[in-house]
Amino acid sequence: MTSPETGTKRVLLAKPRGYCAGVDRAVEAVERALEKHGAPVYVRKQIVHNLHVVDTLEQRGAVFVDETDEVPEGALVVFSAHGVSPVVHEQAKERGLRTIDATCPLVTKVHHEAKRFAREDYDILLVGHHGHEEVEGTSGEAPEHIQLVETPEDVAAVTVRDPEKVIWLSQTTLSVDETLETVRALRERFPSLQNPPSDDICYATQNRQVAVKAMAPRCDLVLVVGSRNSSNSVRLVEVALQAGAGAAKLIDYAREIDDAWLRGVTTIGITSGASVPEVLVRGVLDHLAERGWGEVEEIETAQETLTFALPRELRPARSAR
Ligand code: SF4
């Protein structure tokens, strides 16, 4: 394989990449909780879907559990960025747990949409991946109104009570193009299908896909730094391939790069999922620089400035006036 541009080994580095505002807030929430309350701080599910982040927080005293019944009564538990269903809040209350909700505000927005359209008695078709924590949390807001639709092939099996009163919502971390295909298939069956009031696929997911699309046609290989259970990272591999990358691989760490992948390769694209700290990308850049890919060109397609305030429970108390 040779680069379409020059024969010089080079790296194209996608921007935006890595941490989004929701992940930054969730990780900081656990760090602040540890500082304020001391270890252990329990965290229901992985706070964000990244191995390195989870390992690092574990070393500092976070204890990751699958369900709230694994948390000792009265202890402090943080809910992850992916959100939880109302049942989980109730269970935590029953056990007298102190809670910090690190659900990303953009996931909370989808929960609000689900509640609103359930109240208005719509059938809600939720485009997303079966078993993903975010989908479980959103579905739990209105289980009797929400059906999950994963792919265009699922559409034939969907049944609704009133085809005039149907809306689609989605998981925040899907492929934009694949989601539109599923929605097209849904609209063929239900022409009155309503769109969500605003995009559910979040800005960070969209921006990372746009950047990788811009870069991929120039790349013999795209390396996506991210974990296997990170939906938006896995989507970046798919988007890179669809956009014309010669090959695309998902890695947690630089040490996973197989030298065989680099054989005959000139241009390597690098990006990272929304739950990936920049230190892991630096590790990949160093690894490649040692092997001759020292030239790095950043491909910037958007600037991100969004930040979210910490969860209420962790904000400094207002000083008395
Ligand atoms: Fe929030 Fe999007 Fe980041 Fe998920 S990927 S935490 S929805 S900003």
Side-chain angles (χ1 to χ4, degrees):
M1 255 179 264
T2 50
S3 163
E5 302 168 7
T6 70
T8 316
K9 284 179 171 181
R10 68 164 66 186
V11 166
L12 303 182
L13 185 57
K15 188 176 177 191
R17 63 180 177 277
Y19 267 22
C20 60
V23 164
D24 201 28
R25 170 183 186 262
V27 173
E28 194 180 342
V30 179
E31 289 169 347
R32 291 281 186 94
L34 282 163
E35 280 163 23
K36 194 169 165 189
H37 302 283
V41 166
Y42 291 84
V43 183
R44 184 185 177 276
K45 308 284 185 193
Q46 293 191 347
I47 183 73
V48 299
H49 285 157
N50 184 264
L51 272 182
H52 176 82
V53 171
V54 169
D55 286 350
T56 308
L57 290 173
E58 241 165 11
Q59 282 161 23
R60 296 181 58 183
V63 177
F64 291 89
V65 296
D66 260 336
E67 289 306 337
T68 40
D69 59 11
E70 296 165 55
V71 181
E73 291 200 6
L76 179 67
V77 64
V78 181
F79 294 140
S80 79
H82 308 101
V84 293
S85 75
V87 173
V88 175
H89 281 288
E90 280 159 32
Q91 287 165 346
K93 206 168 167 190
E94 277 164 22
R95 293 178 61 75
L97 305 181
R98 292 169 293 143
T99 59
I100 294 172
D101 190 353
T103 303
C104 175
L106 299 181
V107 174
T108 303
K109 185 203 78 161
V110 183
H111 282 226
H112 287 319
E113 290 169 355
K115 283 191 278 193
R116 171 185 151 196
F117 288 101
R119 251 193 331 267
E120 294 175 19
D121 205 26
Y122 276 77
D123 276 304
I124 300 167
L125 306 176
L126 179 64
V127 184
H129 294 295
H130 179 76
H132 190 280
E133 285 146 42
E134 184 188 318
V135 163
E136 286 172 1
T138 307
S139 301
E141 292 288 0
E144 63 297 343
H145 284 86
I146 296 182
Q147 301 178 56
L148 183 63
V149 183
E150 284 197 87
T151 63
E153 289 71 49
D154 290 348
V155 170
V158 173
T159 54
V160 299
R161 293 163 303 157
D162 176 359
E164 296 304 311
K165 225 171 165 187
V166 190
I167 184 160
W168 71 276
L169 303 179
S170 89
Q171 192 179 325
T172 55
T173 50
L174 300 181
S175 147
V176 175
D177 295 338
E178 280 178 17
T179 304
L180 291 179
E181 257 178 58
T182 305
V183 171
R184 251 193 305 276
L186 284 170
R187 185 153 286 125
E188 264 172 38
R189 274 208 65 201
F190 309 112
S192 303
L193 180 73
Q194 282 193 35
N195 290 323
S198 61
D199 280 357
D200 287 341
I201 299 180
C202 76
Y203 80 100
T205 300
Q206 297 198 33
N207 285 348
R208 280 150 194 68
Q209 288 174 16
V210 168
V212 89
K213 263 190 194 175
M215 170 180 95
R218 296 169 61 189
C219 298
D220 304 310
L221 169 69
V222 169
L223 296 173
V224 177
V225 188
S227 292
R228 265 153 230 300
N229 62 344
S230 159
S231 173
N232 79 89
S233 303
V234 174
R235 301 292 83 77
L236 288 174
V237 173
E238 295 166 359
V239 169
L241 289 171
Q242 282 156 7
K249 304 281 185 187
L250 183 66
I251 50 169
D252 264 299
Y253 296 103
R255 61 174 181 264
E256 292 169 19
I257 298 171
D258 186 336
D259 282 339
W261 300 347
L262 307 180
R263 237 168 263 144
V265 161
T266 305
T267 303
I268 303 177
I270 299 179
T271 186
S272 54
S275 46
V276 178
E278 186 63 7
V279 65
L280 299 180
V281 174
R282 292 285 140 208
V284 171
L285 289 171
D286 291 347
H287 180 100
L288 292 175
E290 283 163 17
R291 285 157 182 80
W293 280 269
E295 190 185 318
V296 179
E297 182 192 338
E298 205 159 48
I299 306 291
E300 182 170 355
T301 50
Q303 289 188 347
E304 291 182 348
T305 51
L306 186 68
T307 55
F308 293 129
L310 280 171
R312 198 170 14 94
E313 304 83 349
L314 290 165
R315 287 180 214 153
R318 288 212 183 130
S319 52
R321 293 179 190 201

